[in-house]
């Protein structure tokens, strides 16, 4: 990183590049206007009242934020009155221990503004107005046009401010940079950008309208980069500088006092993946993006690498190598073959559109220019609880597992019905808000003359995330193995054991915990149950659409919030050996030491879970690995081979954690939480928590390399 | 055919090229004093007892139907709440092992990996091993056999057609020291290695380096002279002794002898000699 970027980086990490908001003195006569007219008027006034952040080292500026006094962007939803009501009542507030409302991502599509500038967007708005006749649609389009013109004016205001500031700068290079910025702000985003610099400046300003994921960055910017390089108007280093300043802006959007500042969520974007013509889009510019980001010691943004079956192994190696060296853990991996298959086959989205997905936030998939079509977290373990604690009369005399499973499935479907119904209800409240600024850069909102919050975009991913899936699968394994196959206990004694919270049945519980191959072991029984369960999800969900017409999918992402704990607290004992009140398992992956057959077995089990594609919604697979695997290139290559095989065989996603010295110390003190850590040295292998203290100490010492 | 297996490690990165499944046979005819898997030495299943985890709750005794002399039924290991008791070694048929092995075929193929049969001494169950090797070859799986080589050469002749790689453990070149610490002379072991080096087969030699026992430069030079005479293997790995298996000695009630780990400097020096 060069000196200019180093200085900006220091300011950013010091919180000094944060954009403060300024509240205008709104005219009280505004209240005489119809609500939407007032909202647009105030939004425009608000934008033009803001002050850009300019430093002597700046080559970019133009970011602004909302403070809640006007209807702001769709991601932060400040000023969205109805959304605020919904969040106040249902965000993280359980309904029947079954559903809570969640935050929703909304991401812009920059392709239109990069292609035709805001001027072109205004032409599109005018063209759309000719196709619509309903007054509310025409009013919406008028609002969009006002906002579009305001953004052009905002850029002009920024230009003036930069020019003014440049007069106080004496260093000729810095002055020159500022003058370049001032003159470019008069060109873009009004017009289509003609260089990489202008393209990044366009995105920099328009990011304020939808400050979430910046989407498929290499696709947006590659044409500009390669053109500039061909014309000799840019060097690789200059391109890197522009990208780095852009990334620093994304970091500075979050206030330094927010816990999100160092978490990096809300900020994933994508590189690689299939292009519309079916070729793999990863290119030299993608490499530059990764390099530029990895040089910065920041937390935001993070990136997801979209792997395809056409990705050469050395590219995956490069990406995993960057990931292993990144102390801030900013890279995740997803499999385009699975995702695109899901979006085309299950969601019915054409291939050319399906390839335009990105990841947002903590790795949720989203289509560019769309708002997440779903906004809830459901508790699936509730179905097992209902079966064993309320409806046990129905199963007590079951003669076969199939008969039992049929009864379970109908309860599962009842719960899913409710979870999806609540999701729709949250959406309905949200749809009472009309958004302008994000809709301007969303897909189809102009053509549909409809706000992004009301389903204005044609394509979106609607994926409630489901908690407790592994507990359900493990519970079903226990029922099949011990009640029906081995007949260790009768259904009645299992029900009694759960009703008494395992009191008096400790022996059974111990045998269950000690001798069951639970999820993650890639054995016939756990794979059978996993497959059966996901097929039920498929059966219920396939073909079902939400109120906006988006096909439902599901995911297992836990995110920042501890739903697995909160839902667990109010869930009675379950057959997987869980006591009443115990937290549920976190995501679909490592099973707290219950997966005992190694990494390939775990990955194969995850593949079984995801093979019918229905879980290609917000699905994340976290894998913790021994740090030693990444310290040695020979072993690291095998790790790359392992995850490439996992993707080739149908894995959807992975992100890695390497077990560090600190983890091992924590494991020593709190062995129950860290049962899964397995240490391997040469041919020797054992679980860390099995070793006696002196050896644990020995390994902790060895880990400090 | 069946065999007693004490562990099947899937997704292993260390016992040969690529990603591998390593199948550990129970039973060995060497008794290396430094062995880090002492539970691999006996041929029959064993109960391992981790004293530090036992809360003396007595539950295991309540379930035991043969309190006077253990019949290794394994019942107590299932009932123990704390994991203080574990059963080591289980009888498998070749098909059962193959079922596990086959699950990771895509990983072998993508990494030029395969299966490694290890132990204990897997070559002591030569017919069971041969059956497994043949079945692997029927499935086009790369095979490696990890052996200490204290077996008649005819056993090698039996497996060679189905074995792609021999991982050959040489404990020590000095015969007297070898006898003292492993319970057998190394003559047969070196004779077999000699024969193997003379044929066209991939061999990796592995030497555990134990401070004060076989970590002298003479030892390594002697191995080098041996290579000079009979040919070099494709690879030689010197593995520093580690004490990670110590807790297992207590668990199977076996007397433990402590050794010292050679320093990194020492290892590098020795490594240079053999390269
Ligand atoms: S059951 Fe386990 S903890 Fe209890 S006495 Fe036996 S070995 Fe010890
Ligand atoms: S293995 Fe069986 S016989 Fe031996 S101590 Fe345990 S329960 Fe008793």
């Amino acid at each position: 990183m060069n000196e200019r970027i180093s200085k900006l980086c220091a300011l950013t990490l010091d919180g000094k590049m944060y954009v403060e908001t300024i509240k205008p003195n709104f005219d009280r006569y505004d209240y005489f206007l119809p609500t939407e007219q007032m909202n647009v008027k105030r939004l425009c006034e608000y934008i033009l009242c803001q002050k850009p952040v300019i430093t002597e080292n700046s080559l970019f500026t133009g970011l602004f934020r909302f403070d809640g006094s006007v209807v702001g962007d769709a991601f932060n939803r400040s000023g969205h009155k109805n959304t605020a009501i919904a969040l106040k009542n249902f965000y993280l507030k359980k309904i029947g221990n079954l559903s809570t409302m969640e935050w929703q991502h909304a991401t812009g599509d920059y392709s239109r503004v990069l292609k035709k500038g805001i001027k072109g967007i205004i032409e599109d708005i005018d063209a759309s107005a000719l196709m619509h006749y309903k007054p509310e649609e025409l009013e919406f389009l008028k609002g969009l046009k006002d906002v579009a013109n305001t953004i052009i004016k905002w850029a002009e205001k920024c230009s003036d401010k930069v020019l003014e500031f440049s007069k106080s700068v004496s260093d000729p290079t810095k002055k020159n940079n500022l003058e370049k910025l001032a003159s470019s702000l008069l060109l873009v985003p009004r017009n289509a950008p003609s260089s990489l610099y202008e393209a990044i400046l366009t995105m920099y300003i328009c990011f304020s309208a939808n400050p979430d994921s910046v989407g498929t960055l290499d696709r947006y910017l590659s044409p500009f980069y390669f053109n500039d390089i061909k014309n000799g108007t840019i060097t690789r280093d200059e391109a890197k500088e522009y990208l780095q300043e852009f990334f620093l802006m994304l970091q500075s959007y979050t206030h330094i006092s927010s816990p999100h500042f160092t978490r990096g969520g809300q900020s994933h974007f994508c590189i690689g993946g299939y292009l519309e013509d079916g070729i793999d889009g990863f290119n030299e510019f993608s490499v530059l993006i990764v390099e530029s980001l990895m040089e910065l010691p920041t937390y935001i943004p993070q990136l997801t690498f979209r792997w395809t079956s056409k990705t050469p192994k050395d590219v995956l190696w490069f990406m995993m190598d960057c990931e292993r060296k990144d102390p801030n853990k900013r890279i995740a991996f997803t499999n385009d073959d699975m995702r695109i298959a899901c979006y085309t086959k299950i969601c019915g989205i054409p291939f050319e559109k399906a390839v335009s997905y990105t990841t947002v936030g903590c790795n949720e998939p989203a289509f560019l220019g769309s708002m997440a079509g779903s906004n809830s977290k459901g508790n699936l373990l509730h179905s097992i609880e209902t079966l064993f604690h309320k409806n046990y009369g129905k199963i007590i005399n079951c003669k076969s597992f199939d008969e039992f499973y049929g009864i379970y499935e109908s309860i599962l479907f009842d719960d899913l019905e409710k979870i999806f119904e609540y999701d729709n209800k949250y959406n309905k409240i949200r749809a009472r808000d009309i958004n302008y600024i994000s809709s301007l850069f969303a897909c189809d909102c102009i053509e549909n003359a409809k706000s992004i919050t009301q389903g204005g975009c044609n394509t979106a991913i609607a994926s409630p995330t489901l908690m407790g899936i592994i507990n359900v699968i493990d519970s079903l394994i226990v029922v099949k193995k011990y009640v029906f196959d081995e007949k260790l206990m009768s259904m009645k004694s299992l029900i009694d054991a759960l009703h008494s919270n395992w009191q008096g049945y400790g022996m059974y519980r111990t045998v269950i915990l000690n001798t069951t191959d639970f999820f993650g072991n890639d054995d016939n029984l756990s794979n059978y149950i996993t497959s059966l369960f996901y097929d039920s999800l498929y059966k219920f969900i396939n073909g079902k659409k939400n109120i906006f017409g988006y096909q439902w999918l599901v995911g297992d992402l836990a995110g920042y919030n501890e739903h697995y704990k909160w839902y667990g607290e109010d869930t009675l004992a379950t057959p997987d050996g869980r006591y009443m009140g115990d937290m549920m398992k976190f995501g679909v992956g490592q099973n707290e030491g219950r997966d005992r057959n190694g990494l390939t077995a775990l990955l194969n089990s995850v593949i079984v879970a995801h093979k019918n594609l229905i879980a290609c919604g917000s699905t994340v697979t976290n894998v913790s690995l021994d740090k030693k695997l990444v310290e040695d290139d020979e072993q690291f290559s095998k790790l790359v081979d392992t995850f490439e095989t996992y993707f080739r065989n149908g894995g959807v996603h992975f992100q890695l954690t390497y077990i560090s010295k600190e983890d091992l110390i924590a494991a020593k003190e709190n062995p129950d939480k860290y049962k899964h850590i397995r240490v391997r040295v040469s041919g020797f292998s054992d679980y860390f928590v099995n070793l006696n203290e002196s050896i644990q100490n020995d390994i902790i010492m060895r880990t400090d390399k | 055919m069946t065999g007693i297996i004490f562990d099947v490690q899937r997704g292993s990165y260390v016992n040969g090229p690529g990603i591998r499944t390593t199948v550990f046979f129970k039973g060995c005819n060497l008794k290396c004093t430094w062995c880090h898997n002492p539970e691999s030495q006996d041929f029959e299943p064993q109960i391992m007892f981790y004293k530090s985890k036992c809360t003396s709750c007595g539950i295991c005794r309540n379930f035991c139907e043969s309190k006077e002399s253990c019949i290794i039924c394994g019942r107590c290991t299932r009932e123990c709440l704390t994991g203080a008791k574990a059963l080591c070694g289980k009888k498998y048929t070749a098909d059962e092992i193959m079922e596990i092995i086959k699950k990771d075929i895509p990983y072998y193929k993508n990494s030029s990996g395969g299966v490694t049969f290890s132990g204990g001494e897997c070559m002591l169950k030569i017919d069971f091993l041969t059956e497994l090797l043949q079945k692997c070859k029927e499935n086009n799986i790369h095979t490696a056999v990890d052996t200490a080589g204290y077996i008649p050469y005819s056993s090698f002749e039996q497996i060679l057609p189905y074995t792609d790689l021999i991982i050959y453990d040489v404990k020590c070149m000095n015969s007297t020291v070898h006898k003292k610490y492993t319970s057998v002379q190394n003559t047969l072991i070196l004779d077999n290695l000699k024969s193997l080096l003379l044929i066209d087969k991939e061999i990796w030699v592995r030497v555990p380096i134990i401070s004060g026992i076989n970590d002298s430069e003479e030892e390594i030079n002697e191995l080098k002279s041996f290579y000079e005479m009979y040919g070099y293997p494709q690879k030689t790995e010197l593995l520093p002794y580690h004490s990670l298996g110590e807790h297992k000695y207590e668990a199977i009630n076996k007397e433990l002898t402590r050794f010292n780990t050679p320093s990194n400097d020492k290892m590098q020096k020795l490594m240079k000699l053999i390269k």
Side-chain angles (χ1 to χ4, degrees):
Chain A
M1 140 178 49
N2 69 19
E3 203 190 324
R4 188 180 75 81
I5 297 295
S6 291
K7 286 191 175 144
L8 287 174
C9 185
L11 287 175
T12 303
L13 291 177
D14 236 8
K16 302 267 166 52
M17 296 297 285
Y18 183 72
V19 187
E20 297 295 346
T21 55
I22 300 167
K23 190 179 170 190
N25 287 321
F26 292 119
D27 188 344
R28 66 191 169 120
Y29 293 104
D30 288 348
Y31 288 110
F32 294 139
L33 294 169
T35 312
E36 290 311 314
Q37 273 181 37
M38 179 183 85
N39 284 348
V40 173
K41 178 173 180 281
R42 290 192 162 191
L43 173 62
C44 296
E45 283 172 15
Y46 177 89
I47 293 169
L48 292 177
C49 179
Q50 301 310 301
K51 194 170 157 252
V53 170
I54 306 162
T55 74
E56 58 170 10
N57 285 302
S58 298
L59 246 176
F60 294 87
T61 192
L63 182 69
F64 57 88
R65 294 171 49 256
F66 292 100
D67 66 353
S69 63
V70 292
V71 184
D73 65 88
F75 173 50
N76 289 299
R77 274 150 282 168
S78 59
H80 289 60
K81 287 200 181 100
N82 294 292
T83 307
I85 291 169
L87 290 169
K88 190 165 165 236
N89 286 283
F90 305 109
Y91 178 60
L92 310 186
K93 289 184 179 157
K94 297 185 284 186
I95 301 181
N97 207 35
L98 191 64
S99 167
T100 69
M101 188 181 183
E102 261 295 305
W103 206 254
Q104 263 178 318
H105 286 275
T107 178
D109 173 16
Y110 297 93
S111 53
R112 190 179 336 216
V113 70
L114 291 174
K115 201 169 146 208
K116 45 175 90 165
I118 296 213
K119 235 170 60 187
I121 293 182
I122 291 173
E123 284 165 20
D124 288 346
I125 296 172
D126 288 340
S128 177
L130 298 175
M131 311 295 289
H132 291 273
Y133 59 91
K134 287 188 193 158
E136 68 273 18
E137 291 172 340
L138 294 172
E139 191 180 0
F140 175 72
L141 290 171
K142 185 182 172 307
L144 288 187
K145 194 169 166 178
D146 289 350
V147 176
N149 279 313
T150 302
I151 291 176
I152 294 174
K153 283 189 208 138
W154 162 247
E156 288 164 359
K157 175 179 171 176
C158 293
S159 170
D160 289 347
K161 295 277 174 203
V162 172
L163 206 57
E164 200 182 304
F165 183 85
S166 71
K167 295 195 178 115
S168 64
V169 175
S170 51
D171 180 286
T173 316
K174 288 175 181 169
K175 202 180 186 70
N176 204 22
N177 280 348
L178 289 165
E179 283 165 4
K180 173 179 168 170
L181 172 58
S183 57
S184 301
L185 282 164
L186 298 177
L187 296 172
V188 293
R190 175 202 290 269
N191 304 297
S194 61
S195 64
L196 181 71
Y197 173 72
E198 286 180 5
I200 295 180
L201 183 59
T202 300
M203 288 186 73
Y204 195 108
I205 291 182
C206 298
F207 179 75
S208 313
N210 218 330
D212 194 339
S213 171
V214 289
T216 50
L217 205 56
D218 50 358
R219 290 173 204 217
Y220 287 139
L221 299 178
S222 284
F224 296 99
Y225 172 72
F226 289 118
N227 198 38
D228 286 1
I229 288 282
K230 197 178 83 202
N231 296 337
T233 51
I234 202 178
T235 64
R236 194 174 186 273
D237 283 348
E238 281 165 344
K240 183 190 274 187
E241 242 187 272
Y242 302 160
L243 285 167
Q244 288 181 327
E245 193 169 342
F246 181 65
F247 292 144
L248 289 175
M249 177 274 285
L250 300 179
Q251 171 75 62
S252 69
Y253 187 86
T254 305
H255 194 270
I256 193 167
S257 67
S258 160
H260 296 279
F261 190 82
T262 50
R263 275 180 183 168
Q266 311 179 0
S267 71
H268 270 266
F269 69 90
C270 274
I271 55 165
Y274 286 114
L275 302 179
E276 287 178 23
D277 53 7
I279 64 164
D280 186 305
F282 189 89
N283 60 31
E284 272 170 54
F285 185 65
S286 319
V287 172
L288 183 62
I289 289 175
V290 184
E291 268 180 31
S292 308
L293 183 61
M294 291 298 106
E295 266 184 30
L296 297 173
T298 48
Y299 311 94
I300 295 174
Q302 304 199 334
L303 74 88
T304 305
F305 171 63
R306 280 171 53 178
W307 178 92
T308 74
S309 52
K310 294 176 182 170
T311 302
K313 189 171 286 195
D314 57 351
V315 169
L316 181 61
W317 208 99
F318 166 76
M319 290 304 304
M320 287 183 69
D321 187 40
C322 289
E323 195 276 342
R324 74 167 155 160
K325 290 171 182 158
D326 179 19
N328 290 350
K329 310 302 285 167
R330 286 170 288 186
I331 304 179
F333 299 81
T334 198
N335 180 354
D336 253 28
D337 286 58
M338 292 296 282
R339 293 221 181 260
I340 304 293
C342 168
Y343 307 145
T344 51
K345 287 185 195 147
I346 295 186
C347 304
I349 298 168
F351 181 85
E352 309 77 62
K353 173 78 189 174
V355 296
S356 81
Y357 81 92
T358 184
T359 56
V360 294
C362 303
N363 265 279
E364 298 95 315
F367 282 97
L368 296 173
S370 79
M371 187 151 186
S374 165
N375 51 0
S376 68
K377 275 198 163 44
N379 171 14
L380 273 202
L381 197 55
H382 184 268
S383 56
I384 291 283
E385 185 194 43
T386 307
L387 184 66
F388 281 91
H389 291 273
K390 288 197 188 119
N391 290 9
Y392 51 89
K394 289 186 182 167
I395 50 169
I396 205 154
N397 293 319
C398 281
K399 297 276 172 298
S400 67
F401 179 75
D402 290 349
E403 190 189 341
F404 163 85
Y405 190 77
I407 296 167
Y408 168 67
E409 196 184 49
S410 69
I411 291 178
L412 170 71
F413 287 0
D414 285 348
D415 273 4
L416 286 170
E417 192 74 53
K418 285 183 200 136
I419 289 169
F420 285 69
E421 209 176 285
Y422 284 126
D423 196 283
N424 271 333
K425 285 180 176 169
Y426 306 138
N427 268 338
K428 277 185 194 157
I429 306 179
R430 187 194 72 189
R432 293 175 195 146
D433 290 319
I434 297 180
N435 169 288
Y436 293 90
I437 182 107
S438 301
S439 300
L440 189 62
F441 298 100
C443 267
D444 319 309
C445 288
I446 294 173
E447 286 68 22
N448 292 333
K450 201 194 248 181
S451 163
I452 189 171
T453 49
Q454 299 177 318
C457 41
N458 295 341
T459 312
I461 289 174
S463 166
T465 45
L466 303 176
M467 303 285 107
I469 292 180
I470 294 298
N471 295 89
V472 172
I473 290 173
D474 285 353
S475 292
L476 295 170
I477 290 170
V478 167
V479 172
K480 176 143 176 35
K481 180 174 161 91
Y482 296 106
V483 177
F484 293 102
D485 295 353
E486 295 179 7
K487 301 190 183 2
L488 173 83
M489 62 198 308
S490 65
M491 185 63 90
K492 183 173 180 319
S493 46
L494 177 60
I495 292 167
D496 290 345
L498 299 184
H499 288 191
S500 67
N501 194 25
W502 297 102
Q503 295 307 309
Y505 292 85
M507 291 305 142
Y508 284 113
R509 183 174 176 273
T510 305
V511 172
I512 285 170
L513 294 183
N514 284 353
T515 62
T516 309
D517 281 330
F518 289 106
F519 176 84
N521 286 297
D522 192 24
D523 65 296
N524 292 344
L525 177 59
S526 75
N527 283 348
Y528 167 74
I529 297 288
T530 303
S531 198
L532 185 70
F533 176 73
Y534 274 85
D535 283 348
S536 294
L537 291 180
Y538 182 90
K539 196 162 107 187
F540 179 82
I541 297 163
N542 188 30
K544 276 203 176 52
K545 297 190 169 165
N546 82 347
I547 51 159
F548 297 135
Y550 308 140
Q551 164 67 46
W552 292 111
L553 296 172
V554 285
D556 53 45
L557 173 81
Y560 289 158
N561 297 318
E562 296 176 310
H563 284 82
Y564 46 92
K565 195 170 136 206
W566 304 328
Y567 280 140
E569 278 166 3
D570 288 335
T571 304
L572 297 167
T574 44
D576 54 333
R578 202 188 129 273
Y579 286 121
M580 169 175 81
D582 278 357
M583 69 166 78
M584 303 179 333
K585 298 280 171 52
F586 183 96
V588 175
Q590 271 157 336
N591 195 352
E592 293 176 5
R594 291 180 176 199
D595 54 307
R596 299 162 177 138
N597 290 336
L599 180 58
T600 52
L602 170 72
L603 296 178
N604 283 352
S605 302
V606 175
I607 289 168
V608 170
H610 295 157
K611 74 170 185 303
N612 70 19
L613 305 171
I614 201 70
C616 282
S618 302
T619 282
V620 164
T621 302
N622 285 295
V623 182
S624 300
L625 296 166
D626 184 346
K627 211 172 168 205
K628 291 198 185 322
L629 293 181
V630 292
E631 285 167 354
D632 165 282
D633 274 0
E634 198 184 322
Q635 297 223 12
F636 178 71
S637 284
K638 296 186 186 187
L639 193 70
V640 176
D641 290 339
T642 301
F643 282 97
E644 187 184 49
T645 313
Y646 163 69
F647 271 172
R648 285 201 187 285
N649 285 281
V652 173
H653 174 277
F654 70 88
Q655 57 193 22
L656 305 175
T657 306
Y658 303 111
I659 303 296
S660 64
K661 184 178 175 176
E662 293 71 40
D663 294 326
L664 294 176
I665 292 169
K668 209 183 123 193
E669 273 156 20
N670 204 345
D672 278 340
K673 245 180 101 184
Y674 292 88
K675 280 186 208 144
H676 62 283
I677 299 180
R678 199 168 168 90
V679 267
R680 283 165 192 266
V681 184
S682 176
F684 168 90
S685 159
D686 207 341
Y687 284 104
F688 181 77
V689 294
N690 274 354
L691 307 175
N692 55 32
E693 204 185 1
S694 60
I695 295 166
Q696 289 184 336
N697 288 341
D698 187 340
I699 295 176
I700 288 171
M701 272 165 60
R702 282 160 185 254
T703 309
D704 194 25
K705 276 188 192 149
Chain B
M1 231 174 287
T2 61
I4 310 283
I5 302 300
F6 79 88
D7 196 8
V8 181
Q9 251 179 35
R10 293 175 57 185
S12 164
Y13 292 177
V14 288
N15 296 306
I19 302 163
R20 310 193 73 79
T21 295
T22 306
V23 181
F24 292 91
F25 283 51
K26 203 161 174 345
C28 190
N29 54 358
L30 264 64
K31 302 281 172 256
C32 303
T33 335
W34 51 74
C35 180
H36 61 215
N37 286 330
E39 76 278 26
S40 71
Q41 293 183 348
D42 278 11
F43 287 85
E44 294 306 318
Q46 274 167 295
I47 300 296
M48 297 180 81
F49 174 57
Y50 296 97
K51 204 171 157 192
S52 61
K53 289 187 182 182
C54 175
T55 56
S56 304
C57 67
I59 287 168
C60 55
R61 275 192 75 75
N62 292 345
F63 281 88
C64 178
E65 286 168 5
S66 177
K67 292 191 180 70
E68 295 313 307
S69 82
C70 174
I71 51 164
I72 324 283
C73 69
R75 177 105 197 244
C76 56
T77 64
R78 292 195 292 271
E79 308 291 344
C80 174
L81 290 159
T82 65
K85 283 197 163 189
L87 180 64
C88 170
K90 194 181 146 198
K91 194 182 264 182
Y92 284 89
T93 64
D95 285 339
E96 283 167 340
I97 294 287
M98 284 311 296
E99 201 187 322
I100 303 173
I101 287 173
K102 284 200 262 180
K103 285 175 188 281
D104 285 347
I105 287 178
Y107 296 89
Y108 314 146
K109 295 267 175 280
N110 193 28
S111 66
S112 306
V115 177
T116 301
F117 296 100
S118 181
E121 176 54 71
C122 60
M123 297 216 21
L124 292 171
K125 295 282 174 228
I126 190 68
D127 291 334
F128 184 53
L129 175 65
T130 310
E131 187 183 348
L132 284 166
L133 288 166
Q134 281 170 337
K135 285 182 190 282
C136 286
K137 283 291 123 199
E138 281 161 20
N139 286 282
N140 285 321
I141 297 170
H142 178 276
T143 53
V145 169
D146 177 11
T147 175
Y150 191 65
I151 27 163
Y153 191 72
S154 57
S155 295
F156 283 105
E157 283 171 331
Q158 186 173 326
I159 60 150
L160 282 175
Y162 320 105
T163 307
D164 298 305
L165 166 69
I166 302 274
I167 301 175
Y168 203 95
D169 301 339
V170 174
K171 315 288 183 190
C172 177
M173 295 303 284
N174 179 313
S175 195
T176 322
V177 178
H178 197 282
K179 167 92 179 142
K180 182 171 171 198
Y181 289 101
T182 71
S183 80
V184 302
Q185 304 269 5
N186 63 3
T187 327
L188 175 63
I189 295 170
L190 294 180
D191 280 352
N192 284 337
L193 178 58
K194 202 185 299 175
S195 311
L196 288 168
L197 289 172
L198 292 170
I199 60 165
D200 182 22
K201 183 60 69 182
E202 185 167 3
I203 313 280
W204 292 10
V205 168
R206 288 213 289 213
V207 189
I209 302 292
I210 298 106
S211 251
I213 311 284
N214 65 350
D215 63 340
S216 65
E217 293 190 9
E218 296 82 74
E219 261 290 328
I220 302 302
N221 281 330
E222 209 176 314
L223 179 63
K224 201 172 165 186
S225 318
F226 186 89
Y227 290 167
E228 297 287 340
M229 257 189 287
Y230 306 107
Y232 274 82
Q234 275 70 13
K235 196 169 176 178
T236 300
E237 294 177 324
L238 305 184
L239 309 172
Y241 166 81
H242 59 74
S243 58
L244 298 170
E246 281 186 1
H247 66 302
K248 299 191 198 174
Y249 279 83
E250 194 192 343
I252 56 168
N253 203 12
K254 207 179 183 101
E255 200 186 329
L256 166 77
T257 315
R258 285 209 161 83
F259 294 92
N260 292 324
T261 305
S263 67
N264 277 349
D265 281 357
K266 179 87 187 205
M267 286 305 297
Q268 265 159 21
K269 218 184 256 171
L270 298 180
M271 223 82 101
K272 264 196 201 131
L273 284 180
I274 201 74
K275 281 274 148 72

